Amino acid sequence: MKKRQLALSLGAIVGGTFLYHASAEASASTVQVKAGDTLWSLSTKYHTTVEALKSVNKLSSNTIHIGQTLSIPSASTSQPSNKEEQPSAPSTGSTYKVQSGDTLWKVATRFNMSVEELKRLNALSSNIIYINQTLKVNGSNSASTPTTSKPAETPSKDANGTYKVQRGDSLSKIASTFHMSVSELKQINGLTSNTIYVNQQLKVSKSSETTTPTTKPSTSTPSTSNGTLNVSQMISEAKRYIGVPYKWGGTTPSGFDCSGFIYYVTKQQISTTRYTTAGYWSVSTPVSNPQPGDGDLVFFNTYSSGPTHMGIYLGNRQFIHAGSSTGVTIASLDNSYWSKRYLGAKRFSK
């Protein structure tokens, strides 16, 4: 009788242990979406892929919402985390195989390229890439290149107050290095766009303005519908960051949220404050026309009452914005998702 009771007790203990582990495994296989989460950030956190997350949860798009419960794929269906942390460098130095978690911006940065250059080199018409895709790249892998091979990290001007453009440079990077604004740098060099090229000589000293070109920059700023903001320059600057990933509260090219993106783009021309989306709505001037104008800010109601998302209108019913599931991208006001949530357009000049 005692032996039977002992056997029953052991069975209960083993059974209880099994149920505990089973419930623990079940609880560890789901996650509740929080503010700032994206499929990409969750895939990185749980060492899986966006495709695996979408497949397990039967998602047809990259859109997720706060409070949503998602299942996390098992390790057997996920990419090992060490492959993401140390992507293999191309054997030929001219191609790269896409790893889990990669974006065009991430790959372009690794090889000291711009997103536009990477897309052009690979004849890509969108920012979508997939795991194991082979991309043509230029330059060296910054993840495996010693810091001594990157002279652009410590640029300097010559005796004439000029600077030679290095691979990976941009106007905003050069302007910041030499304590100038992008507008000032363009004016000194008579530039009408943000395009620069490797080995180009740029004036980076105000004293070199003695050779200011006869073509005044005013001829390149006919479109100033945003008060003190040059609209064509504003739009050109915004497009430079297509592909930059979304980051909650982000205000730099390493990651933007929607209002942080607007702040970074506008501060290249004017001294401005970092507002929230609701703040931009409050300080901006309503647009009298039924249709927004190029450079106007467009606002949307996405997850609560009032303006909660924003972008810059580009014309032809298109706007550029930092989306939580897409990063910086161009979208249409006529898209079924955005058209239902559109609040209106306003003009910002502060």
Side-chain angles (χ1 to χ4, degrees), residues 4-305:
R4 184 179 179 184
Q5 289 177 339
L6 179 60
L8 288 173
S9 298
L10 288 173
I13 293 172
V14 172
T17 303
F18 174 80
L19 289 174
Y20 172 79
H21 283 296
S23 61
E25 289 174 0
S27 63
S29 64
T30 61
V31 63
Q32 192 170 51
V33 177
K34 299 178 181 178
D37 280 344
T38 66
L39 285 180
W40 184 85
S41 65
L42 290 175
S43 70
T44 302
K45 181 177 180 180
Y46 293 101
H47 309 299
T48 182
T49 66
V50 172
E51 291 74 12
L53 278 173
K54 291 175 69 175
S55 175
V56 168
N57 292 280
K58 296 181 173 58
L59 301 177
S60 58
S61 71
N62 291 330
T63 302
I64 55 177
H65 55 81
I66 297 174
Q68 180 178 0
T69 299
L70 295 178
S71 297
I72 304 300
S74 62
S76 62
T77 61
S78 305
Q79 292 284 343
S81 61
N82 61 348
K83 287 188 177 180
E84 291 184 25
E85 293 167 358
Q86 296 183 353
S88 57
S91 57
T92 63
S94 60
T95 62
Y96 171 74
K97 184 176 287 187
V98 176
Q99 308 293 317
S100 174
D102 277 343
T103 64
L104 279 182
W105 172 262
K106 188 175 179 181
V107 176
T109 301
R110 182 176 297 131
F111 293 97
N112 298 317
M113 303 170 66
S114 67
V115 171
E116 291 76 9
E117 184 180 5
L118 185 59
K119 291 176 68 175
R120 183 171 58 253
L121 190 62
N122 290 276
L124 300 177
S125 58
S126 72
N127 293 326
I128 298 173
I129 54 177
Y130 53 88
I131 296 174
N132 292 329
Q133 180 179 2
T134 299
L135 296 177
K136 297 177 184 177
V137 294
N138 288 330
S140 58
N141 187 338
S142 61
S144 60
T145 303
T147 55
T148 54
S149 66
K150 298 168 69 176
E153 296 282 339
T154 55
S156 60
K157 56 187 176 182
D158 60 21
N160 296 321
T162 61
Y163 169 72
K164 183 181 288 187
V165 176
Q166 308 294 317
R167 182 176 294 278
D169 277 344
S170 66
L171 283 181
S172 59
K173 180 179 179 181
I174 295 171
S176 176
T177 299
F178 294 102
H179 309 291
M180 306 169 68
S181 68
V182 171
S183 298
E184 186 177 19
L185 183 60
K186 291 176 70 175
Q187 181 177 358
I188 291 176
N189 290 278
L191 301 177
T192 58
S193 74
N194 290 329
T195 302
I196 55 177
Y197 53 88
V198 176
N199 293 328
Q200 180 178 1
Q201 292 285 346
L202 292 179
K203 301 170 187 174
V204 292
S205 174
K206 294 181 181 181
S207 61
S208 60
E209 288 184 87
T210 53
T211 56
T212 302
T214 55
T215 304
K216 291 290 183 179
S218 59
T219 60
S220 65
T221 60
S223 176
T224 55
S225 60
N226 270 16
T228 56
L229 287 170
N230 180 309
V231 172
S232 59
Q233 181 178 329
M234 178 184 183
I235 291 176
S236 178
E237 181 73 16
K239 288 182 176 179
R240 290 185 60 246
Y241 304 104
I242 291 176
V244 172
Y246 181 88
K247 180 180 180 181
W248 182 266
T251 60
T252 71
S254 64
F256 293 115
D257 65 11
C258 64
S259 56
F261 176 56
I262 305 302
Y263 165 69
Y264 186 85
V265 170
T266 54
K267 80 168 186 173
Q268 302 308 310
Q269 295 189 53
I270 60 176
S271 176
T272 183
T273 301
R274 196 325 190 173
Y275 298 102
T276 62
T277 298
Y280 277 107
W281 174 270
S282 298
V283 301
S284 298
T285 304
V287 177
S288 57
N289 297 326
Q291 292 294 328
D294 294 3
D296 285 343
L297 303 182
V298 287
F299 294 86
F300 305 88
N301 179 303
T302 54
Y303 60 85
S304 65
S305 59

